[in-house]
Amino acid sequence: MLLQSISHDKLALLILVIGALILGEIIDFFAKPRLGFRSIRKLALRFLPLLLLSSLLLVMTGSVSVALLLTGALLLVLVIGSNLKLRLLNEPLVFTDLTLLAAFVKHPRFYLQAIPVFVRWLSLSALVLLILMLIWASNGQIIIRIEGAVLAILSAVSLKLILEAQSDPGLFPPDLWADMQRDGLLPTLLLYVRRWKNLPPLSARPLPQIGLEAVGQAPDIVIIVQCESFAEPSVLKPQWETLPTLARARDEAIQWGELYPSGFGAYTMRSEYGVLCGDENEALSYRLFDPFLTAAQTPSHGLANQLSLLYEKRLFLHPYDLNFYNRRELMPQLGFTSLIGGEAFTEQDKIGDYVSDASLAHYLLQTVQKHDRFLAYCVTIENHGPWKDGRLGLVKGSDAWREHAQHSDEMLSNLCDGLKASGKDALLVFFGDHRPALGPLPPQPHVPRTTPYVMLRFNEGKSVKLPSSQENVPLTMAELHHTIIRTIMNK
């Protein structure tokens, strides 16, 4: 009887191993993007995580069938989530997305737009069903649980050794689309997080040499506005009109052009980090997917720290919860002396769920009147998604985005007029952090994603022009950081 039990348990383990392998390959086949069959070299990294999970579930339930069912269901949820994200944001799931689970709970409306309603209900129903199955199928078999624990240990050790052998970020730079197409979802997630952990810190950046001449020529006021989902409507849809103030600002700017954000429709923190810290994606390597996670390692890169000798008062303004992306702790480390969050505004300052761009412009111009010299970095939020049908009372969500973009254009107009009226020497930088996600995107790696920027200098009630200011100067977000510093220091 005991021998029969042992033989039965070994057959069950064999079914578990083969089932995990087959389940993994079948479900990963539906993960996008893909080109043909996945690489056989990464088969172990597609198989071992599932074997580890199913072995642990076997220890919990004592049932091979339930362990495989739960493992397959969890992988399927991961693949569906990745495909939905790819459809909306032109990027599959990356390891840093898993760090946003806490933010998802606190700010669900930021993320639920990517998940169709039927998928939300299906996921919730499946979760309840799986929990009930887990309780129902559990049994008291001891031998199969012990063998499952041994198999889990062997799987974990094997997985760790394979990941360590391929974890050098210098030998394997990130190429998300190519890696996903070739290797599959699980290998890409696991290798990326492992290589991210092995990255050496970025080198510290010395403060710029500032002479008396630079102090005298630097503008008294610097206002940098990172405008949420700001783009030229006529670029997104030819039938939409251009933004009048943006067009006029280009004529008056000392420099203007297009920016190249690394994200589409989201990932404000990537653009924000680029302008605040000036590190290109090549230098960031695997940090690029969420550079805020490691920004505290190199505070000297912060724009506010770099300009601290010129501006004693350095404001960071974002009319929302500053704990989001850990801004409350991070921004002082990057050199800001004052933080202004959503608590500085009232319900009357909002349009819909978010503080309006007009209220932010008013706050900034009040600061101009109160202080003669300061640096301010402002992150707007009025035009944050989701752009649901019916927002602002409009039939289509895309029309709501366009109306919000017009409000952002009016904010630019108010700031230009207010800075001119002040008569003070001021530099205004106004740019879009990323394009809006207004609908499904084609499954290709290089969709257009540029956003506009303008840099304007005001003095004695007039805008300052340069001979080269009629030219479109394309920049990355990091290049904008360095351009701002050079402009302030007249280099």
Side-chain angles (χ1 to χ4, degrees):
M1 196 71 163
L2 180 60
L3 291 176
Q4 288 180 346
S5 177
I6 293 174
S7 176
H8 178 270
D9 290 341
K10 291 191 181 301
L11 178 61
L13 287 179
L14 180 61
I15 293 174
L16 185 78
V17 172
I18 296 175
L21 176 62
I22 295 174
L23 267 178
E25 291 304 288
I26 290 175
I27 296 176
D28 184 77
F29 180 84
F30 296 97
K32 302 174 183 179
R34 65 174 297 115
L35 289 175
F37 293 102
R38 306 289 194 198
S39 169
I40 193 69
R41 295 181 178 181
K42 295 297 189 295
L43 177 61
L45 289 179
R46 294 192 296 272
F47 162 59
L48 285 174
L50 297 184
L51 183 58
L52 173 59
L53 178 58
S54 58
S55 299
L56 292 173
L57 289 169
L58 179 60
V59 174
M60 294 172 61
T61 65
S63 171
V64 169
S65 58
V66 172
L68 287 175
L69 180 62
L70 291 174
T71 299
L74 291 172
L75 179 60
L76 185 61
V77 168
L78 204 64
V79 168
I80 291 174
S82 181
N83 288 349
L84 286 172
K85 182 193 169 193
L86 179 71
R87 183 171 178 263
L88 186 66
L89 303 181
N90 195 237
E91 182 179 281
L93 198 67
V94 291
F95 69 98
T96 54
D97 292 328
L98 303 179
T99 67
L100 296 175
L101 290 176
F104 178 87
V105 174
K106 293 181 180 179
H107 312 275
R109 66 172 176 260
F110 278 15
Y111 306 99
L112 285 177
Q113 63 164 329
I115 307 175
V117 175
F118 81 92
V119 175
R120 301 178 205 172
W121 282 109
L122 183 63
S123 301
L124 182 60
S125 302
L127 178 61
V128 172
L129 181 62
L130 290 174
I131 292 174
L132 292 175
M133 287 186 62
L134 188 65
I135 297 172
W136 172 79
S138 296
N139 58 62
Q141 295 187 39
I142 300 300
I143 294 178
I144 193 69
R145 293 171 186 265
I146 294 174
E147 291 177 340
V150 172
L151 189 57
I153 293 171
L154 292 175
S155 303
V157 171
S158 300
L159 182 60
K160 184 175 185 295
L161 292 174
I162 293 174
L163 288 173
E164 286 181 350
Q166 303 177 52
S167 63
D168 188 339
L171 295 177
F172 307 99
D175 189 347
L176 184 58
W177 272 74
D179 292 338
M180 180 70 186
Q181 288 173 331
R182 182 185 62 250
D183 302 333
L185 180 58
L186 287 180
T188 303
L189 288 172
L190 293 171
L191 286 171
Y192 274 38
V193 70
R194 188 72 182 185
R195 292 166 185 169
W196 172 75
K197 288 183 177 180
N198 287 348
L199 285 169
L202 295 171
S203 301
R205 189 175 296 161
L207 292 178
Q209 299 294 321
I210 300 177
L212 292 177
E213 183 179 357
V215 174
Q217 294 180 345
D220 295 325
I221 294 171
V222 176
I223 297 176
I224 304 167
V225 178
Q226 175 183 310
C227 194
E228 174 64 44
S229 301
F230 185 66
E232 178 64 83
S234 60
V235 173
L236 273 58
K237 289 187 179 182
Q239 65 268 32
W240 283 349
E241 296 179 354
T242 59
L243 297 171
T245 304
L246 181 61
R248 186 170 68 251
R250 286 168 174 156
D251 290 335
E252 298 182 5
I254 57 174
Q255 185 171 313
W256 63 275
E258 294 180 330
L259 291 173
Y260 290 85
S262 65
F264 188 106
Y267 295 114
T268 293
M269 77 289 196
R270 296 181 187 175
S271 298
E272 191 170 326
Y273 178 90
V275 179
L276 283 177
C277 295
D279 297 311
E280 295 287 1
N281 287 345
E282 291 76 13
L284 290 172
S285 186
Y286 291 92
R287 301 181 189 90
L288 70 89
F289 299 106
D290 188 349
F292 272 20
L293 292 176
T294 52
Q297 295 177 356
T298 48
S300 63
H301 292 211
L303 181 73
N305 279 327
Q306 289 284 303
L307 297 173
S308 59
L309 297 179
L310 287 174
Y311 302 99
E312 182 178 358
K313 186 175 185 62
R314 302 179 297 280
L315 311 175
F316 181 85
L317 171 60
H318 179 49
Y320 200 67
D321 183 358
L322 291 178
N323 293 312
F324 201 57
Y325 290 132
N326 200 33
R327 288 184 176 103
R328 193 176 299 280
E329 291 186 14
L330 182 58
M331 293 307 157
Q333 295 176 13
L334 294 180
F336 291 99
T337 58
S338 300
L339 305 185
I340 298 95
E343 64 278 358
F345 299 87
T346 67
E347 288 297 317
Q348 286 69 38
D349 294 319
K350 292 183 177 181
I351 290 183
D353 293 327
Y354 305 117
V355 173
S356 70
D357 290 348
S359 297
L360 283 181
H362 178 71
Y363 188 98
L364 287 169
L365 291 175
Q366 280 189 322
T367 307
V368 169
Q369 293 179 355
K370 294 176 182 177
H371 303 282
D372 291 329
R373 190 175 185 86
F374 67 90
L375 164 72
Y377 193 100
C378 174
V379 180
T380 77
I381 198 168
E382 178 186 327
N383 207 0
H384 201 290
W387 299 278
K388 298 178 181 179
D389 294 346
R391 180 167 169 173
L392 295 181
L394 300 172
V395 175
K396 293 183 179 180
S398 58
D399 289 331
W401 170 83
R402 180 174 60 153
E403 184 157 330
H404 285 303
Q406 292 168 346
H407 295 169
S408 299
D409 193 60
E410 292 167 7
M411 177 187 188
L412 176 59
S413 177
N414 292 341
L415 289 173
C416 290
D417 293 344
L419 289 172
K420 287 179 182 177
S422 74
K424 296 180 179 180
D425 185 0
L427 173 68
L428 173 64
V429 182
F430 196 98
F431 70 95
D433 59 352
H434 54 71
R435 290 190 182 185
L438 298 178
L441 297 170
Q444 60 191 45
H446 302 297
V447 297
R449 59 183 63 197
T450 56
T451 60
Y453 80 92
V454 288
M455 299 177 63
L456 301 109
R457 183 77 178 263
F458 304 99
N459 200 1
E460 297 180 350
K462 300 178 182 179
S463 57
V464 178
K465 293 276 290 181
L466 296 177
S468 61
S469 61
Q470 297 304 312
E471 301 174 3
N472 180 337
V473 182
L475 297 174
T476 65
M477 294 292 177
E479 287 172 337
L480 180 59
H481 165 100
H482 297 290
T483 300
I484 291 170
I485 291 178
R486 286 197 299 268
T487 301
I488 290 173
M489 301 185 66
N490 198 29
K491 291 185 177 180

